[in-house]
């Protein structure tokens, strides 16, 4: 082993110290500066340092339960409570802007001010998911606290060995009765992206085609995970921003055309998946999975 030049070592230590000092100064001066995860220092990596998904390769979307991966599949998305699939690129699902089912006490009891509320003080619920509270992203202080709490899940994904994270429910501003804005959620998404990149994970924008290029330019998303962009004729909006870096999931109960016709279309994302609506595990009655 070659000996290490002490001058080089000193320069590296000084550089790291300078980065830490600049980060501290930035955190004091910027209202949405990246929070220090779990109270320990870390270096924020740029997206250039992460490994991106193998777009154009077959993928599976296993949020409702994990199962053995088909030989042809090269990337798999699973919930943050699951283990990553072995031998393939693994994407970790995190609900970033709403509470998770069964997790309401952490928000409504321990952090009630982080739950978005109506004029009567009642928690605002996602109408499609009645056991999920919408989180209040309306101020820098609240975004910092939410970032630390959700950030723990992002860090768990990294510790487990996931390669990327997808952050769901970015569009809660659209069901907040005007209490949240796009800017609020993009500011929080930027904190999530910085944290994911700091752990050398890519991060995906989930849905929200109406953002145009803002998700990539302002939040720092690396790719998009879309649901039914073919069905709702939104795939072009994602392609305009992310090119081939798009994963789409269509559902069996609301297809716009037979899946083989969708696969033959030039307008679909290069990685397109067909799943049952509830994303149940293989072997369950309603399970469905195809890819192209």
């Amino acid at each position: 082993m070659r000996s290490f030049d002490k001058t080089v070592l000193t320069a590296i230590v000084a550089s790291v110290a300078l980065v830490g000092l600049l980060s501290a100064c930035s955190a004091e001066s910027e209202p949405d500066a990246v929070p220090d995860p779990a109270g320990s220092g870390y270096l924020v990596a740029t997206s250039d340092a992460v490994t991106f998904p193998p777009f154009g390769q077959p993928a599976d979307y296993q949020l409702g339960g994990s199962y053995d991966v088909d030989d042809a599949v090269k990337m798999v998305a699973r919930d943050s409570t699951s283990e990553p699939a072995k031998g393939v690129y693994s994407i970790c699902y995190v609900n970033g802007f709403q509470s998770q089912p069964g997790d309401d006490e952490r928000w409504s009891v321990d952090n009630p001010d982080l739950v978005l509320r109506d004029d009567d003080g009642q928690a605002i619920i996602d109408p499609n998911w009645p056991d999920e509270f919408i989180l209040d992203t309306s101020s820098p202080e609240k975004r910092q606290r939410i970032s630390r709490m959700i950030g723990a899940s992002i860090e768990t994904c990294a510790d487990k060995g996931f390669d990327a994270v997808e952050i769901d429910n970015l569009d809660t501003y659209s069901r907040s009765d005007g209490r949240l804005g796009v800017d609020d959620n993009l500011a929080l998404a930027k904190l999530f992206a910085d944290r994911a990149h700091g752990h050398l994970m890519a991060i995906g924008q989930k849905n929200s085609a109406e953002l145009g290029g803002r998700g990539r330019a302002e939040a720092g998303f690396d790719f998009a995970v879309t649901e039914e962009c073919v069905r709702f004729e939104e795939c072009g909006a994602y392609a305009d921003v992310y090119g081939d870096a798009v994963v789409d999931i269509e559902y069996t109960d609301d297809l716009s055309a037979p899946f083989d016709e969708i696969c033959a279309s030039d307008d679909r994302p290069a990685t397109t998946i067909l799943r049952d609506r509830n994303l149940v595990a293989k072997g369950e009655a309603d399970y469905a999975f195809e890819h192209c």
Side-chain angles (χ1 to χ4, degrees):
M1 180 183 293
R2 291 185 297 174
S3 61
F4 200 84
D5 190 319
K6 292 184 179 179
T7 303
V8 174
L9 177 61
T10 302
I12 291 174
V13 171
S15 297
V16 171
L18 179 59
V19 169
L21 178 60
L22 291 175
S23 298
C25 292
S26 176
E28 291 174 359
S29 59
E30 305 225 3
D32 278 311
V34 180
D36 188 10
S40 61
Y42 77 116
L43 296 178
V44 177
T46 67
S47 59
D48 294 337
V50 307
T51 301
F52 296 117
F55 301 108
Q57 296 295 317
D60 197 355
Y61 204 60
Q62 300 185 4
L63 301 193
S66 301
Y67 49 86
D68 291 342
V69 178
D70 287 1
D71 291 341
V73 168
K74 303 304 179 186
M75 65 176 130
V76 174
R78 287 179 175 174
D79 190 77
S80 61
T81 59
S82 301
E83 293 298 319
K86 294 181 179 179
V88 298
Y89 190 97
S90 290
I91 301 173
C92 188
Y93 170 92
V94 174
N95 193 347
F97 295 83
Q98 296 183 177
S99 64
Q100 277 288 83
D103 196 27
D104 55 321
E105 184 172 316
R106 178 167 76 135
W107 302 101
S108 62
V109 176
D110 298 337
N111 297 276
D113 61 317
L114 295 183
V115 176
L116 191 67
R117 299 182 182 276
D118 62 20
D119 292 340
D120 296 324
Q122 298 300 308
I124 297 179
I125 307 296
D126 184 331
N128 294 318
W129 298 94
D131 51 358
E132 294 188 17
F133 301 122
I134 293 177
L135 302 182
D136 187 350
T137 64
S138 62
S139 73
E141 186 270 338
K142 289 182 177 181
R143 291 192 290 267
Q144 289 277 5
R145 289 168 58 199
I146 294 169
S147 172
R148 286 193 290 270
M149 295 176 70
I150 300 297
S153 295
I154 294 174
E155 290 162 18
T156 296
C157 294
D159 291 342
K160 287 182 175 182
F162 282 95
D163 302 292
V165 60
E166 63 164 297
I167 300 293
D168 201 7
N169 290 307
L170 174 61
D171 62 347
T172 53
Y173 51 81
S174 67
R175 46 189 177 273
S176 68
D177 297 328
R179 289 171 170 80
L180 303 177
V182 175
D183 292 347
D184 297 323
N185 282 17
L186 283 175
L188 178 56
K190 177 65 165 63
L191 297 180
F192 292 150
D194 285 342
R195 188 179 294 265
H197 291 155
H199 288 277
L200 301 184
M201 290 193 298
I203 184 168
Q205 172 183 325
K206 181 70 171 289
N207 297 323
S208 300
E210 71 278 2
L211 291 178
R214 296 188 65 187
R216 187 169 198 172
E218 298 178 32
F221 288 118
D222 302 302
F223 63 98
V225 177
T226 76
E227 291 176 295
E228 300 178 283
C229 78
V230 174
R231 168 69 181 82
F232 294 107
E233 300 181 350
E234 296 176 332
C235 299
Y238 294 106
D240 287 345
V241 178
Y242 293 103
D244 290 335
V246 179
V247 178
D248 177 52
I249 305 96
E250 300 291 319
Y251 293 108
T252 53
D253 62 349
D254 195 20
L255 284 174
S256 59
F259 192 62
D260 58 350
E261 292 184 17
I262 291 174
C263 288
S265 170
D266 292 334
D267 296 329
R268 70 166 177 87
T271 298
T272 301
I273 305 164
L274 178 66
R275 283 301 324 259
D276 55 280
R277 178 70 62 176
N278 293 322
L279 303 171
V280 299
K282 185 184 293 185
E284 297 190 30
D286 295 328
Y287 169 80
F289 168 58
E290 296 181 49
H291 61 76
C292 58

